[in-house]
Amino acid sequence: QVQLVESGGGLVQPGDSLRLSCAASGRTFSRSAMGWFRQAPGKEREFVAAIRWSGSSTYYALYEDSVKGRFTISRDNAKNTVTLQMNSLKPEDTAVYYCAAGNVDIDVRSRTAYNYWGQGTQVTVSS
């Protein structure tokens, strides 16, 4: 069992940065693949970034105007946290951001592969 709590969302202007954190509890966190997803109003929840348990493998969304190069995912297994650093934010990044945990060998880009989800944190990018 893993419990996830996101924090760090807020209202920022285009070009600003935000750092989202996900605090996890549960004995299996260090062996879990961790992911960030986001959901904008009227849209499906989409993959943003993920990281394997060791931290050596990271994955980013490949869709048009991708977050790669602007967002960085990292984790600290000693502190049971996973972080999403978001730079050069754009209005289209506005969404509720969710942290998720799954088994070690999941397809990290698949929303349905994750077993546990946080409650989400709102990110709004607007001038």
Side-chain angles (χ1 to χ4, degrees), residues 11 13 17 26 43 48 57 63 71 75 82 89 95 115 121:
L11 172 63
Q13 295 186 342
S17 297
K43 296 187 177 181
V48 176
S57 297
Y63 46 74
F71 292 9
R75 69 189 293 165
V82 60
L89 283 162
N115 304 109
T121 185

Side-chain angles (χ1 to χ4, degrees), residues 1-3 24-34 53 75 77 80 101-104 115-116:
Q1 188 82 10
V2 178
Q3 293 80 40
S25 60
R27 295 182 297 171
T28 60
F29 171 79
S30 63
R31 303 294 295 182
S32 298
M34 300 297 298
W53 70 271
R75 69 189 293 165
N77 288 340
N80 282 6
N103 292 331
V104 64
N115 304 109
Y116 305 102

